[in-house]
Amino acid sequence: KLCEGAAPPKAVLTAGEMKEFYKSEKEGMKIMTCAGPYTTMDNLEYNPLSDLLQQIREEQPDVVILTGPFVDIKHPLVQSGNVEIDVGEGNMSKIPHEALFAQRISALLEQLFEDEEGLGTQFVLVPHLDDAVAEFVYPQPPLSDRLPKGGKQLNLSSAEAIDFGSLGLHHIESVNRQPGQSTAPKRIHCVPNPCTLRINEVTIGITSTDVLFHMNCDEANGNLPPGSRLARLTQHLIQQQSYYPLYPPPVSNARNSSVNLDLKQMEKWSMECQPDILIVPSKLTTFARKVLDTTVAINPGQLSRGTAGGTYAVMDVHPMKRSLWEGKEEDVEIDDGVQDRICVEIKRI
């Protein structure tokens, strides 16, 4: 007899926490998520990311979760070493990978907050093993500057604004804000891969590694209901209580990249609680499915595919009925029921 694993317990949510989250009447919460690459394979202009930011201007979500790769090591221009940008008057300059991130991603986010002064959207950045600006070992630490204090500016002609050793994310926090405005919420949150987040009452699990594709190559199954394979693959993560329930990882080949597992850090890719939303970006078919009754698993796809745009996901989480927690003792545990009040759309960019 084969016995399947058991899901970890749900995160504890109390009536007192709900009172804190819902101090005033709310219309719910909107979350957008997408995965890299963020530019097409024939250039480094990051046009799909620019199109996504235009959608963010229009919809103004509460949170945007961006998973890597941000600077894809498989991009032909990155592989060849021809990472160049226009520094003015048609002059092209070769720059390091961090400078490309700063000029093409941080600069676009900074421009977004300059144009939309009242924008309250917060961004969550998750690295990827194919990122040229991140550590290439699993689990991955958050994105960070290679040099302290925001790096150094290159002392080159027509390139005074290019930082060396910095991702440029620190500039975003001060846009349209007064000096010393410490009470304002952070706009950029760099988190590890994988990670478990709590956004108000919603618990979200994220791994940017394409674990579904890796498991798809190794799983054996039979007599499954039509259309259930992807949900079945996602179910393994929860029942094994792990964001990467494979050992050894698959061998690297033309279709698949291997994973450098740091077995000393194994506890950091364990799943300590069953998330309400599980984000698992993959090159497999996009989907949004309910798994094991209480988890909504989402594969938003990739923002760019080859030389064309790709897909992203929009989640509308409707507010809980106040009658479910009002009038109860603050330490009483309640069921958030996110799976019954969420609407997920996967859209093409």
Side-chain angles (χ1 to χ4, degrees):
K1 180 180 179 181
L2 294 177
C3 298
E4 294 184 319
K10 291 274 292 181
V12 175
L13 180 67
T14 65
E17 290 175 315
M18 290 303 301
K19 293 175 184 178
E20 184 68 23
F21 298 146
Y22 287 77
K23 287 182 177 179
S24 59
E25 293 291 336
K26 294 185 61 177
E27 297 180 354
M29 180 168 55
K30 175 171 286 191
I31 304 172
M32 294 175 64
T33 183
C34 63
Y38 291 91
T39 187
T40 53
M41 284 296 178
D42 55 351
N43 62 65
L44 292 173
E45 297 300 322
Y46 284 76
N47 292 323
L49 179 59
S50 298
D51 294 339
L52 176 71
L53 295 183
Q54 181 58 38
Q55 295 298 317
I56 293 172
R57 283 188 175 91
E58 296 174 2
E59 301 189 30
Q60 301 209 353
D62 298 287
V63 179
V64 177
I65 300 172
L66 304 178
T67 64
F70 298 99
V71 180
D72 189 2
I73 59 174
K74 295 181 179 178
H75 194 287
L77 295 177
V78 175
Q79 285 184 329
S80 66
N82 293 323
V83 180
E84 297 181 329
I85 64 169
D86 189 344
V87 295
E89 299 180 355
N91 297 320
M92 303 299 293
S93 175
K94 287 190 176 183
I95 58 173
H97 299 136
E98 297 99 331
L100 178 64
F101 183 101
Q103 293 293 313
R104 290 291 184 259
I105 295 178
S106 298
L108 285 174
L109 293 176
E110 185 177 351
Q111 187 64 47
L112 173 67
F113 285 101
E114 285 182 357
D115 296 341
E116 305 292 332
E117 186 172 350
L119 184 65
T121 301
Q122 299 184 41
F123 288 81
V124 177
L125 273 57
V126 186
H128 190 278
L129 290 173
D130 286 342
D131 256 316
V133 294
E135 301 289 342
F136 51 89
V137 64
Y138 192 86
Q140 287 181 285
L143 294 171
S144 62
D145 291 341
R146 190 156 50 92
L147 297 179
K149 299 180 180 179
K152 297 181 179 180
Q153 285 196 346
L154 296 179
N155 188 20
L156 298 174
S157 176
S158 302
E160 293 81 1
I162 298 179
D163 291 334
F164 176 76
S166 170
L167 299 179
L169 293 171
H170 59 284
H171 298 299
I172 302 171
E173 301 296 341
S174 59
V175 174
N176 284 329
R177 286 178 173 173
Q178 298 296 326
Q181 191 177 349
S182 58
T183 57
K186 285 188 65 176
R187 290 167 169 165
I188 305 296
H189 304 267
C190 294
V191 298
N193 170 37
C195 64
T196 304
L197 309 177
R198 169 71 72 85
I199 303 176
N200 286 353
E201 77 276 16
V202 181
T203 303
I204 302 178
I206 310 168
T207 177
S208 62
T209 303
D210 196 348
V211 62
L212 297 187
F213 187 80
H214 293 175
M215 290 192 296
N216 183 59
C217 298
D218 291 344
E219 187 197 42
N221 56 65
N223 299 323
L224 292 178
S228 66
R229 182 174 58 91
L230 295 175
R232 169 76 181 177
L233 290 173
T234 309
Q235 184 175 316
H236 290 312
L237 276 68
I238 301 174
Q239 290 182 324
Q240 296 295 325
Q241 303 184 20
S242 172
Y243 285 105
Y244 197 84
L246 280 178
Y247 186 82
V251 177
S252 180
N253 54 46
R255 298 180 58 211
N256 194 21
S257 296
S258 186
V259 177
N260 299 315
L261 295 178
D262 185 354
L263 297 180
K264 293 182 180 179
Q265 305 294 330
M266 184 183 298
E267 71 281 355
K268 292 185 179 179
W269 70 75
S270 63
M271 189 179 293
E272 297 182 355
C273 64
Q274 183 174 351
D276 299 310
I277 300 172
L278 181 59
I279 300 176
V280 280
S282 174
K283 64 183 70 173
L284 298 177
T285 305
T286 59
F287 68 89
R289 302 276 180 84
K290 186 162 69 172
V291 179
L292 295 178
D293 298 329
T294 60
T295 296
V296 177
I298 301 170
N299 170 22
Q302 299 172 320
L303 195 65
S304 69
R305 287 184 174 272
T307 58
T311 56
Y312 65 99
V314 180
M315 295 166 272
D316 285 300
V317 183
H318 301 284
M320 287 182 65
K321 294 181 179 179
R322 302 183 75 89
S323 59
L324 296 176
W325 50 268
E326 277 188 334
K328 295 184 178 180
E329 296 292 333
E330 295 206 350
D331 58 350
V332 173
E333 296 184 12
I334 59 176
D335 181 12
D336 54 21
V338 171
Q339 73 278 1
D340 297 323
R341 54 189 180 91
I342 185 174
C343 175
V344 182
E345 291 183 271
I346 297 178
K347 300 181 178 181
R348 183 165 294 280
I349 196 66

